[in-house]
Amino acid sequence: MLAQQILLTVVGLSAGVAAAGGLFSFIIGLGVISDFADRTHTGQYVLLYENAVALGGILGNIFFIYRISIPGGAWLAAAFGLFGGIFVGCWAMALAEVLNLFPIFIRRAKLVRCTQYIIIGIAVGKTLGSLLFFYNRW
């Protein structure tokens, strides 16, 4: 029984490390972190930013799995939601940029004049959807 538990622990940890490593490699490969550093003119801290993203993922998993409550209540949750939403939005835009999603869509749909309104509409829709989702959870 003990050998089975040890084997399951090793397999579970190995799978978790591989999945997390793949996700963080994907985030870094998309250039989200380096793009943030470039836009804020803090390129010398790229390794610190990458470590912070990895540490955030690790701590988020630990808090979720062990159900650790964080003091701060709704204010901290709102700040986390805001910054998390900004990060995920930038991640989605970086993926779309890599795939050249918007230029191809605009060319195929023959949209020339209202491109900025479409992008603003996507951002507003994502924001409203997130607000409704989290409002209904509380």
Side-chain angles (χ1 to χ4, degrees):
M1 186 70 169
L2 180 64
Q4 182 182 11
Q5 293 296 324
I6 292 172
L7 179 64
L8 286 175
T9 301
V10 169
V11 170
L13 283 173
S14 300
V17 167
L23 176 65
F24 293 128
S25 297
F26 183 63
I27 290 172
I28 293 167
L30 279 176
V32 176
I33 307 300
S34 59
D35 194 33
F36 282 159
D38 183 46
R39 291 180 194 265
T40 58
H41 306 293
T42 56
Q44 67 268 24
Y45 300 113
V46 170
L47 291 176
L48 176 67
Y49 297 153
E50 290 173 355
N51 290 336
V53 169
L55 183 63
I58 291 166
L59 290 177
N61 283 327
I62 289 172
F63 290 160
F64 180 77
I65 289 172
Y66 294 110
R67 300 184 189 267
I68 298 172
S69 63
I70 302 171
W75 292 102
L76 190 59
F80 174 78
L82 176 68
F83 293 125
I86 289 171
F87 181 75
V88 170
C90 290
W91 191 29
M93 292 304 290
L95 182 60
E97 183 179 317
V98 168
L99 297 175
N100 293 325
L101 176 72
F102 289 113
I104 293 170
F105 175 73
I106 290 168
R107 193 173 336 124
R108 297 236 174 147
K110 296 181 179 152
L111 299 172
V112 179
R113 303 176 116 184
C114 56
T115 306
Q116 67 268 23
Y117 301 118
I118 293 171
I119 293 172
I120 290 172
I122 291 170
V124 168
K126 183 169 178 51
T127 302
L128 289 176
S130 297
L131 289 174
L132 287 173
F133 175 77
F134 287 113
Y135 179 75
N136 287 333
R137 288 191 76 158
W138 285 354

